[in-house]
Amino acid sequence: MLSTLRSHRRIQLVAGLFIGICFGFLLQRGGVTRYEVVIGQLLLQDFTVVKIMLTAIVIGMIGVHALRSAGYATLSKKPGSVGSTVIGGLIFGVGFGLLGYCPGTMIGALGQGSLDALFGIAGMLIGTAAYAAAFPALSKSILRVGDFGQITIPELFRANPWPVVAGVGVCISVILLAVEYAGV
Amino acid sequence: MVHRVMEWIRTNQGRVLLLVVILAALVSIDSRTADSAVTASQSTANPTGRWSPYVAGLGIGLLSCLSFVISNRPIGVSTAYAQTSGLIGRVVVGSQIDEMPYYRTVRPEIGWEWMLAVGVLLGGCISAVLSGDIRFEPAPPLWVREFGSGVAWRWLAAGMGGFLLGVGSRWAGGCTSGHGISGALQLVASSWLAVVCFFIGGVSTAFMLY
């Protein structure tokens, strides 16, 4: 039943659209499509972005691992290396601070009328094209540095995922409590 | 000892209890924030209809699960930009775009990820319209207060920021949604490393600007 649903192209396009609508709605309603909220987070004055992300991670982590244990989901693990993840992540971070939106929230920002997001979207399209042009050279050099492949944290420690889920869940809860006590 | 805890957690009973404990912790946080959320939203420019971040986060977490059930895919937005740049490239320079090694791995096509991005635009718009939070602004009020009303500078900064997001997200293999939420919730090592780097870069840049 699920495999028919997942291999039906038209249903999947509609599913993608539906999930996107919900995602955009939640991002806008949570306030993270606002430049002020994102910059407030990066200036460590307003922790809305971190609260949303960490809550989503806890709930999604428990749900997806339960689905996986029950055989309803397979993990989709992004590969990584020091050269790709760290360098790419830092470049992304500078763009994040300069633009004040991320790739998803700037689309939502355009939906709420923030016209500067149009320039962010145009810039990002050019950026992905520039990366595609540079990819052959990068993939032979820097992207290979410190390659650690497709690995999860439980696999890294050769542990069952559930204790890690519990540990991460507790750590995130403690962080959220600390953020609330600090009143940010 | 650790082995015994792991054995216990492997049972369904252990899993359910674990879930209850974590949810209870979250609920207690949420009830505590009810009053502080009010003051926080009052301090922002337009608090119309804004939800508690925990409610929005809960929704995104559940939506991630739904996405795995229906499509067996994680939510991620940055791939759609690469596909769109490839589609535009195909119109501008022709089909040799498809021969480029990068576009052989990320096919320029209108698929699930692309529809997701269109959905985010619609969802953001629907939410803003329903809560009366839709405002056509050429530049964010905070930027105007800090750097003046010359919008060209904001547009230039936004374009440059977007360019770096494009390069960085493809370089790292994901963005704030693909790595920051979806990868992190699957406990993928590269995603946790990426999100730490996103924030190191972002916080440093914001402190330099403001």
Side-chain angles (χ1 to χ4, degrees):
Chain A
M1 193 345 225
L2 269 183
S3 59
T4 349
L5 180 73
R6 286 169 180 177
S7 57
H8 194 296
R9 189 176 147 76
R10 199 164 296 168
I11 291 178
Q12 284 305 313
L13 291 180
V14 176
L17 184 71
F18 172 75
I19 292 165
I21 290 174
C22 297
F23 190 46
F25 188 97
L26 289 163
L27 291 174
Q28 206 282 333
R29 210 39 82 92
V32 289
T33 54
R34 288 283 167 206
Y35 175 83
E36 283 74 12
V37 174
V38 174
I39 292 297
Q41 176 63 66
L42 296 179
L43 293 174
L44 309 177
Q45 292 163 352
D46 170 357
F47 275 66
T48 303
V49 176
V50 163
K51 288 176 194 173
I52 291 182
M53 286 180 73
L54 291 182
T55 310
I57 289 170
V58 172
I59 303 298
M61 175 178 68
I62 296 169
V64 168
H65 282 86
L67 287 170
R68 184 199 185 206
S69 293
Y72 290 120
T74 42
L75 296 190
S76 162
K77 299 177 278 187
K78 288 177 187 290
S81 71
V82 175
S84 77
T85 313
V86 174
I87 307 289
L90 292 174
I91 295 172
F92 183 95
V94 174
F96 189 26
L98 206 51
L99 176 60
Y101 306 114
C102 40
T105 58
M106 74 172 149
I107 305 179
L110 182 64
Q112 75 194 1
S114 305
L115 302 176
D116 53 337
L118 265 179
F119 292 84
I121 292 169
M124 181 149 172
L125 290 174
I126 298 170
T128 55
Y131 179 79
F135 177 72
L138 292 172
S139 64
K140 277 183 222 128
S141 52
I142 192 157
L143 299 184
R144 287 187 182 173
V145 177
D147 191 2
F148 54 85
Q150 294 173 301
I151 194 164
T152 65
I153 295 168
E155 285 163 1
L156 198 64
F157 293 104
R158 296 170 192 280
N160 180 288
W162 285 100
V164 184
V165 168
V168 172
V170 169
C171 289
I172 289 178
S173 304
V174 169
I175 292 170
L176 289 175
L177 279 170
V179 165
E180 284 305 329
Y181 277 105
V184 283
Chain B
M1 172 62 194
V2 175
H3 188 71
R4 194 169 294 174
V5 171
M6 276 164 57
E7 281 296 325
W8 177 75
I9 282 174
R10 227 171 273 183
T11 64
N12 280 331
Q13 187 191 10
R15 285 173 198 170
V16 171
L17 266 168
L18 176 71
L19 187 113
V20 170
V21 167
I22 295 174
L23 286 180
L26 272 168
V27 169
S28 67
I29 293 171
D30 204 6
S31 57
R32 268 185 40 78
T33 50
D35 42 343
S36 64
V38 174
T39 46
S41 62
Q42 276 167 353
S43 66
T44 52
N46 189 344
T48 327
R50 197 167 288 176
W51 288 353
S52 154
Y54 300 108
V55 175
L58 174 78
I60 293 171
L62 294 175
L63 189 66
S64 298
C65 300
L66 183 71
S67 177
F68 269 97
V69 172
I70 302 180
S71 305
N72 205 19
R73 282 168 192 269
I75 292 174
V77 181
S78 59
T79 307
Y81 285 90
Q83 291 171 327
T84 308
S85 73
L87 288 169
I88 295 171
R90 198 184 282 160
V91 173
V92 177
V93 295
S95 58
Q96 70 245 46
I97 278 288
D98 297 281
E99 303 302 315
M100 286 172 72
Y102 188 75
Y103 291 120
R104 261 186 258 158
T105 53
V106 178
R107 286 256 161 236
E109 60 181 16
I110 292 179
W112 191 89
E113 284 88 358
W114 208 85
M115 296 304 284
L116 183 89
V118 173
V120 172
L121 177 68
L122 292 175
C125 190
I126 292 167
S127 166
V129 168
L130 289 182
S131 60
D133 196 25
I134 194 155
R135 302 195 294 272
F136 291 96
E137 289 171 345
L142 174 66
W143 176 280
V144 173
R145 248 194 330 272
E146 191 75 19
F147 303 107
S149 54
V151 286
W153 286 110
R154 170 57 193 157
W155 291 349
L156 184 67
M160 280 167 48
F163 179 84
L164 295 174
L165 286 184
V167 173
S169 66
R170 296 297 84 206
W171 195 308
C175 62
T176 343
S177 50
H179 266 316
I181 295 174
S182 302
L185 67 84
Q186 295 179 80
L187 297 172
V188 177
S190 67
S191 297
W192 281 91
L193 182 60
V195 75
V196 167
C197 295
F198 294 167
F199 277 93
I200 291 174
V203 168
S204 323
T205 309
F207 272 93
M208 275 189 269
L209 271 177
Y210 285 93

